[in-house]
Amino acid sequence: MRANITAHLATMLQNCHCLPAVRVSILLPRSKEVIHTESIPNTKIKAISRGLKRKSKLEKGWDWYVCEGFQYILCQQAEALKTLGVGPELKNEVLHNFWKRYLQKSKQAYCKNPVYTSGRKVTVLEDHLSHSDWTSDPELSDAHCLSLVESWAESQSDVQSRKPSSSTRASHSETASICSGSLDGVEYSQRKEKGIVKMTVPRTLAFLYLSLLWQREAVTLSDLLRFVEEDHIPYVNAFERFPEEMKLYGRDKGIFAVESWPDYEDIYKKMIEIAIFLDLPRFPDITEDCYLHPNILVMKYLMEVNLPDEMQGLTCQVVKMTGIGEVDFLTFDPIAKMAKTVKYDVQAVAVIVVALKLLFLLDDNVEWSLSDLAEDYNEDHQDKPWFDFRKWYQVMKKTVDEKKQKREEARAKYLWKSEKPLYHSYIDKPVVYKRREMVVNLQKQFSALADCTPAPGEKKPSSFQFNWTEKGTDRPCFHGHSLRGVLSKKGQSLVIKNSLYWLSTQKFCRSYCKHVTTYEESNFSLSYQFVLNLFSFLLRIKASLLHEEVSLIEKKLFKRKYMSSNESSRSRRVRRR
């Protein structure tokens, strides 16, 4: 059999010379594979080389809800706090329970009829997670909340291993809107239900601070916002950390995109709002050994702004006389009649401002006279110098001006545009990505022309923004300087030489109004303005907010004086009648 096949092939080869030349040429290769198509100007050839491809399931993405996007951001932020030294229980226990409570209160999960399952049959499953310590903790979970539980757990592991679940979610093609990548982006942006606190990116920071406050961690609200601004905690363009399968466009852009830095007062108000909405119980007590106690925070900020250590004795007396160090005053209780928490960092620096006014008056006169005395004394006593307010002012002003300039330059150079472009609809995706590619190329060209040096490596975050341990004539350390120049000995104790004091606010609003008079710089001394601006820069707050806190402490400290002034004003009104 094999011999017959061989003979047949030989006969065919002998007869092949009679075939036309054209036939033979067909057997030769007529095309060559082009590996690099960048040099070919014709875009049609590129399209032909790619061929027609169907969209893979990966391009379609997962079926996901807006609350899952916020949950992912919260998990990433909690992980960032963990790398900064916060205990893991903040994420696994406190923040987890707060988030579960929010999902139930907002009717998004852990309830019989969640807002996402209207018109669909809900399968109620048992919640196998450990319950929180509160009696009102949710006991039921639906199919959607089960996926939320799984995604919270998966956020700690490899998110790429997650697959779309057909049993717990509706099909993307059936429910997803062409106006958003999430299943409920349009519905969420239009939802305006009375009594429901809608989740936003700034409110993620409020959740974080509530968790930090519950754990009594050594992180104040100003520290948290500073870590956010320094990119140690995801906030701006946090959606870039979403898995590739979570497609985000259209209405999702208005939900997750942030184009401004968080504001202290805004996050503070949102924190109280969320605590009341969640109906949280009284928080753990803030005792004297807690980091958030004013005596400890004052010590920290005295070191921060390079003031003498001896001032701590005076600040402790101010805290004791005003009663702001009491446990009931410091502990946050959302279910109280007047839910209000303390601005712990602002209150601490306000105590220091009051102490400086007690020592130096800060009226653009007394502080400079006392500085002259300290300067004369220090010429002959270099071993134990007196604190010189004028010299401290010069050192701090130079240091703060340098820090301000660096911060302004960093903010000016900050790229608000995300590396992961956002588009209004899936149709606009190619155009948006093409524009983004052009922008990146232009930035590279301009950087090459400008010969920009690469930025130094990212510094590790620190609780202190200023470092006064360096030895140098231009940055002297005042921690060990004495206050004997502003104190006089009376018997066995030291008293303040300055017997005068001026109140930051002469008249408050009525009892039902908690505001104070408006802060206008022109009405106050330059020294007082400098001190306020110094601490405002340190905490990244407005000077008016610190002025208000100083006025409230003065009201407690000089309660009799305010009462007498009110009585005299009433008598004047009677006389006028």
Side-chain angles (χ1 to χ4, degrees), residues 282-457:
R282 178 185 168 101
F283 277 49
D285 292 343
I286 305 297
T287 55
E288 291 185 359
D289 58 344
C290 180
Y291 177 81
L292 298 176
H293 194 275
N295 287 339
I296 298 179
L297 278 178
V298 164
M299 188 189 312
K300 184 248 185 185
Y301 289 120
L302 285 175
M303 297 175 61
E304 183 82 55
V305 296
N306 202 11
L307 285 171
D309 300 333
E310 292 183 3
M311 282 188 63
Q312 187 182 357
L314 179 59
T315 56
C316 289
Q317 292 185 27
V318 173
V319 170
K320 184 177 181 180
M321 293 176 65
T322 54
I324 62 175
E326 301 295 330
V327 174
D328 291 337
F329 178 82
L330 294 173
T331 304
F332 181 38
D333 190 1
I335 61 177
K337 187 176 181 181
M338 294 294 292
K340 181 182 179 182
T341 187
V342 178
K343 303 182 183 79
Y344 301 98
D345 40 10
V346 182
Q347 177 185 259
V349 297
V351 170
I352 298 177
V353 174
V354 172
L356 287 173
K357 289 178 66 177
L358 288 169
L359 292 172
F360 301 98
L361 194 59
L362 302 183
D363 65 341
D364 290 341
N365 184 19
V366 173
E367 62 269 26
W368 308 127
S369 301
L370 293 173
S371 298
D372 293 336
L373 296 175
E375 186 177 0
D376 295 338
Y377 176 85
N378 292 339
E379 290 180 358
D380 302 326
H381 304 81
Q382 297 291 335
D383 53 339
K384 188 65 175 177
W386 286 356
F387 177 71
D388 188 343
F389 185 88
R390 180 186 289 108
K391 192 173 183 180
W392 172 81
Y393 167 83
Q394 294 171 351
V395 171
M396 292 305 301
K397 188 176 187 308
K398 181 181 178 182
T399 305
V400 171
D401 288 345
E402 293 175 356
K403 284 280 187 180
K404 280 184 178 179
Q405 184 177 357
K406 290 181 180 179
R407 184 190 297 181
E408 290 174 358
E409 291 176 356
R411 287 193 170 191
K413 294 178 181 178
Y414 192 85
L415 297 177
W416 293 96
K417 293 292 183 181
S418 63
E419 295 181 3
K420 185 178 182 181
L422 294 177
Y423 40 92
H424 292 284
S425 68
Y426 207 83
I427 301 174
D428 300 333
K429 179 180 178 181
V431 179
V432 173
Y433 270 79
K434 187 65 178 178
R435 289 178 179 174
R436 180 60 183 169
E437 184 181 355
M438 293 173 60
V439 170
V440 172
N441 291 335
L442 287 173
Q443 288 176 345
K444 290 181 179 179
Q445 293 176 16
F446 280 114
S447 299
L449 291 172
D451 192 21
C452 297
T453 57

Side-chain angles (χ1 to χ4, degrees), residues 1-11:
M1 183 68 180
R2 183 175 298 178
N4 294 335
I5 294 174
T6 306
H8 181 65
L9 288 174
T11 304

Side-chain angles (χ1 to χ4, degrees), residues 448-493:
L449 291 172
D451 192 21
C452 297
T453 57
E458 183 179 339
K459 295 183 179 179
K460 293 184 179 180
S462 173
S463 299
F464 292 90
Q465 302 180 55
F466 301 106
N467 182 15
W468 304 107
T469 58
E470 302 175 5
K471 294 183 179 180
T473 56
D474 57 335
R475 290 173 57 89
C477 180
F478 295 93
H479 292 158
H481 287 211
S482 174
L483 293 176
R484 292 298 299 270
V486 295
L487 300 175
S488 59
K489 195 169 183 180
K490 188 175 182 180
Q492 298 295 328
S493 59

Side-chain angles (χ1 to χ4, degrees), residues 59-124:
E59 291 181 4
K60 184 185 289 185
W62 288 336
D63 298 344
W64 63 283
Y65 293 95
V66 171
C67 62
E68 288 183 287
F70 286 119
Q71 176 173 294
Y72 196 85
I73 293 175
L74 282 171
C75 289
Q76 294 297 313
Q77 292 174 338
E79 284 294 330
L81 285 174
K82 186 178 177 180
T83 59
L84 296 177
V86 176
E89 59 273 4
L90 180 131
K91 173 187 175 182
N92 300 332
E93 299 176 9
V94 182
L95 184 58
H96 189 187
N97 286 327
F98 284 172
W99 183 241
K100 286 171 59 181
R101 202 174 182 88
Y102 172 78
L103 292 176
Q104 185 200 32
K105 289 281 187 178
S106 59
K107 303 177 184 178
Q108 300 182 70
Y110 300 101
C111 58
K112 293 183 179 180
N113 296 310
V115 292
Y116 300 112
T117 56
S118 57
R120 300 205 310 259
K121 186 178 180 181
V122 182
T123 304
V124 179

Side-chain angles (χ1 to χ4, degrees), residues 29-35:
R30 302 184 62 185
S31 62
K32 183 179 180 181
E33 183 181 358
V34 179
I35 300 176

Side-chain angles (χ1 to χ4, degrees), residues 522-537:
S522 58
N523 297 334
F524 298 93
S525 63
L526 296 177
S527 299
Y528 181 72
Q529 293 179 37
F530 170 77
V531 172
L532 284 190
N533 292 331
L534 168 63
F535 285 109
S536 301
F537 171 80

